Amino acid sequence: MWMANDGNYRELRHFAPWHKHRQVEDHSLPKIIRDVTGQKLVPFGDAVIATEDTVIGVELCEELFTPASPHTLMGLDGVEIFTNSSASHHELRKLHTRVDLIREATEKLGGIYLYANQQGCDGDRLYYDGAALIAFNGKIVAQGSQFSLNDVEVVSATLDLQAVRAHRTYSSRRMQSVQAETYSRIIVEDVRLDAGLGDESGRCESYGQTEPFYHTPEEEIALGPACWLWDYLRRSRMSGYFLPLSGGIDSCATACIIHSMCRLVVKTAQQGDRQVIEDARRIAQEEPGSSYIPSDPKEFAGRIFHTCYMGTENSSPATRKRAKDLAEAIGSYHVDLNMDVLVTAVRTLFSLVLGFKPKYKVHGGSEAENLALQNIQARLRMVLAYMFAQLLPWTRGKYGGLLVLGSANVDESLRGYYTKYDCSAADVNPIGGVSKTDLKKFIAFAQDHFDLPILEDFLEAVPTAELEPISDTYVQSDEADMGMTYDELCVFGRLRKVEKCGPYSMYTKLIQEWGDHYSPIQIADKVKLFYTEYARNRHKMQVS
């Protein structure tokens, strides 16, 4: 009846909604089905299913989130069990919304809500985060896992239909029920859902209430992308992942997510999951008949995860050391190199062709020269990343290639603070929808929960691209280059995307939020700078 058509979804491209409210038609079955079932016609439309002892209604995915959800009118017409087969993708903190909507529906209406959500990756950019659940008169009585490597998970509960009817006895509900329009009922004869349950009165004992389980946002970042990356890797039939490891917090976060993935694989394999074990053996390129079972995240990472520090004359010893120490801590196969010869070759070629030798700004060059020299370093890293991703397995006596990981966060993407077609132009980017603020919290979480003390160095380091020469008077800083802090960028992103603000409405909101720290003119300048940079850099996010 209602379809998702915003954000990640464009369902109206493929389907037309059924707008004949409470209407049912007879549709002819194809002969191949008719020969098996003996039926020529089947009812099709907006209806409910009636057994001998209850009525079952269906709403789908997006319909739970609509203002006038079908479950409201179905519940007033006597539907006691609602089902929802959903494909709801993972977003940070989204599970709270789903649970609240389901609890509210069954609290006001009374009834049983069976919510089944897909879990895993179907080869697309989305991860469906499970958390199947059963709600009963406003209570959550059973809940499945939100992040898991299992292909199938079943959640069940035994509930009392009489308790649903008792919950519906208050007078205001009865007054609305008698005025409700009637749904067509598809009668299922000789079927009772309470058959064989309960005592002589037909009553049975309900499951007790359980509090919904929510992961913290830091746990969601650790688990959601990790599950997605494993599903994506096993479906791609590739030999692992390759990550340009810069020594900064973004590539560090991506590496920690891969470490979390390896931990999940080891944990699930140790529990005897045959599918995970088979996939791990194939990706690690074990011989047929091997008894290998991943038992240590670092050992498994050494087989499937490859990192590389691509230094230049502008790189600092501190970032090189952080990259090396992190790779050692998580067990990745690490390569450390200098690529100055490539940068020099490009500059020399340019000079030979045009007779000009571009210089950095600190050496007297113009803004155009300075930017070009920074961008060529970043783009050469992308070329190197794909070469190493194709040939590193070969150098280790293995076959196949690696998927290249990017590490551009959502704040920098909104601001346009990255080079188009640099090493963020990768096959997949696990942190592309996560803000810098949330990434820092995740790194602090991973430091404690993954026992990685090296991460403290990343949290304390000043974010820098290291694309310009370091001098006594100048050290490149991301926040100085952008003209705004990462905390400010996070707020801009929330107001623009979540609260649908344009420049003026964002300004009026920030007057309330930032008025104690900045003058109205300063806030106006910050908002104008953000929207100017957002608009002029959209080409970076619209690559076809």
Side-chain angles (χ1 to χ4, degrees):
M1 300 290 290
W2 309 105
M3 292 183 171
N5 204 51
D6 61 348
N8 289 298
Y9 297 104
R10 293 292 181 269
E11 292 180 353
L12 293 182
R13 284 180 179 176
H14 309 288
F15 304 101
W18 179 268
H19 282 319
K20 300 175 182 178
H21 189 42
R22 292 188 175 88
Q23 294 184 39
V24 177
E25 300 175 357
D26 285 334
H27 279 217
S28 176
L29 286 172
K31 184 177 184 301
I32 189 172
I33 299 177
R34 190 186 309 168
D35 291 344
V36 175
T37 65
Q39 292 176 285
K40 293 183 179 181
L41 299 174
V42 293
F44 183 94
D46 186 19
V48 296
I49 299 172
T51 67
E52 289 187 358
D53 57 342
T54 191
V55 184
I56 303 168
V58 176
E59 64 181 7
L60 292 174
C61 203
E62 177 72 6
E63 294 173 340
L64 172 64
F65 296 87
T66 55
S69 296
H71 65 248
T72 301
L73 296 178
M74 288 190 294
L76 291 174
D77 190 36
V79 172
E80 297 177 328
I81 300 175
F82 309 94
T83 69
N84 189 327
S85 301
S86 183
S88 184
H89 68 283
H90 174 235
E91 290 180 1
L92 286 183
R93 308 171 180 89
K94 182 182 177 183
L95 180 59
H96 294 72
T97 302
R98 292 202 303 250
V99 172
D100 288 346
L101 287 171
I102 292 171
R103 292 176 75 168
E104 180 186 12
T106 56
E107 172 65 32
K108 292 173 67 175
L109 287 167
I112 299 168
Y113 202 105
L114 311 178
Y115 180 81
N117 189 33
Q118 290 191 108
Q119 189 172 63
C121 164
D122 60 2
D124 203 351
R125 59 201 286 267
L126 304 178
Y127 178 76
Y128 302 100
D129 61 340
L133 58 84
I134 301 173
F136 177 60
N137 291 348
K139 306 177 182 68
I140 303 300
V141 296
Q143 180 182 349
S145 66
Q146 188 177 7
F147 307 109
S148 169
L149 301 187
N150 297 326
D151 282 339
V152 178
E153 191 170 290
V154 178
V155 176
S156 63
T158 304
L159 301 171
D160 184 1
L161 287 172
Q162 293 296 338
V164 173
R165 292 150 197 166
H167 189 84
R168 293 180 167 183
T169 56
Y170 56 94
S171 59
S172 59
R173 187 199 179 281
R174 291 200 301 270
M175 286 188 290
Q176 291 190 337
S177 295
V178 296
Q179 300 177 47
E181 296 181 46
T182 303
Y183 277 81
S184 296
R185 277 163 163 70
I186 308 302
I187 305 300
V188 184
E189 297 179 352
D190 301 324
V191 171
R192 293 183 61 86
L193 295 191
D194 65 357
L197 295 176
D199 56 24
E200 294 180 356
S201 67
R203 297 180 64 87
C204 64
E205 182 178 352
S206 300
Y207 275 27
Q209 178 180 2
T210 181
E211 286 301 314
F213 176 78
Y214 302 107
H215 290 284
T216 65
E218 294 77 24
E219 290 173 328
E220 288 189 68
I221 296 172
L223 298 172
C227 290
W228 180 81
L229 284 166
W230 177 248
D231 243 359
Y232 199 94
L233 177 60
R234 71 188 185 112
R235 291 173 186 273
S236 71
R237 317 298 285 188
M238 299 291 274
S239 300
Y241 283 113
F242 176 88
L243 173 66
L245 194 58
S246 68
I249 201 165
D250 291 328
S251 61
C252 166
T254 304
C256 287
I257 290 172
I258 293 291
H259 178 63
S260 177
M261 181 194 79
C262 293
R263 291 167 61 96
L264 279 173
V265 171
V266 168
K267 178 181 177 181
T268 310
Q270 293 297 308
Q271 293 171 349
D273 189 302
R274 293 180 59 185
Q275 184 63 59
V276 170
I277 293 172
E278 289 175 9
D279 289 332
R281 288 173 180 169
R282 174 177 52 79
I283 295 170
Q285 299 185 18
E286 285 291 312
E287 294 294 329
S290 168
S291 60
Y292 172 73
I293 297 177
S295 58
D296 178 65
K298 288 182 62 174
E299 185 273 336
F300 187 61
R303 293 169 175 258
I304 69 163
F305 187 35
H306 303 69
T307 53
C308 180
Y309 181 84
M310 303 177 188
T312 67
E313 62 182 356
N314 302 321
S315 303
S316 67
T319 56
R320 186 185 298 271
K321 184 177 186 303
R322 285 201 300 270
K324 181 180 178 181
D325 290 346
L326 178 60
E328 183 178 341
I330 64 179
S332 66
Y333 184 87
H334 188 62
V335 177
D336 189 312
L337 60 87
N338 279 323
M339 49 179 278
D340 289 318
V341 62
L342 290 179
V343 180
T344 301
V346 173
R347 292 177 71 181
T348 302
L349 177 62
F350 183 88
S351 301
L352 289 173
V353 173
L354 296 177
F356 295 92
K357 185 175 182 180
K359 295 181 291 185
Y360 289 103
K361 192 173 183 178
V362 296
H363 296 155
S366 66
E367 195 68 48
E369 295 171 78
N370 193 63
L371 189 59
L373 289 175
Q374 291 186 68
N375 286 343
I376 196 60
Q377 294 173 69
R379 291 186 174 118
L380 285 172
R381 284 176 174 142
M382 185 269 287
V383 175
L384 277 179
Y386 274 94
M387 183 176 184
F388 274 75
Q390 283 189 298
L391 293 180
L392 267 180
W394 170 70
T395 64
R396 302 180 68 189
K398 298 183 178 183
Y399 57 84
L402 307 172
L403 289 167
V404 179
L405 293 170
S407 51
N409 63 69
V410 70
D411 295 334
E412 291 171 349
S413 299
L414 280 175
R415 166 61 174 75
Y417 183 69
Y418 68 97
T419 302
K420 194 174 185 178
Y421 304 121
D422 70 347
C423 57
S424 65
D427 295 316
V428 291
N429 182 8
I431 65 169
V434 186
S435 73
K436 191 86 162 189
T437 303
D438 282 328
L439 286 177
K440 287 182 177 179
K441 294 177 182 177
F442 164 64
I443 294 298
F445 164 86
Q447 178 186 351
D448 295 332
H449 288 75
F450 296 165
D451 191 23
L452 295 172
I454 179 59
L455 298 184
E456 180 68 25
D457 294 341
F458 287 86
L459 289 170
E460 294 176 351
V462 176
T464 174
E466 291 193 332
L467 295 173
E468 296 183 72
I470 300 173
S471 69
D472 294 336
T473 58
Y474 176 74
V475 177
Q476 189 176 22
S477 162
D478 289 352
E479 294 184 333
D481 285 352
M482 291 190 297
M484 57 191 73
T485 68
Y486 280 109
D487 288 341
E488 290 171 349
L489 256 179
C490 184
V491 174
F492 292 146
R494 171 177 57 82
L495 293 176
R496 188 201 71 86
K497 179 72 173 180
V498 180
E499 300 191 27
K500 310 296 189 295
C501 289
Y504 180 71
S505 57
M506 182 181 290
Y507 167 74
T508 57
K509 285 181 179 289
L510 289 178
I511 287 290
Q512 305 300 320
E513 289 192 33
W514 293 353
D516 294 338
H517 305 286
Y518 300 110
S519 70
I521 292 178
Q522 289 175 312
I523 294 173
D525 288 341
K526 288 177 180 291
V527 172
K528 284 188 282 188
L529 175 61
F530 168 74
Y531 269 103
T532 298
E533 295 300 324
Y534 170 79
R536 79 181 187 91
N537 285 295
R538 287 311 291 159
H539 66 93
K540 296 183 180 181
M541 295 297 291
Q542 302 295 327
V543 180
S544 59

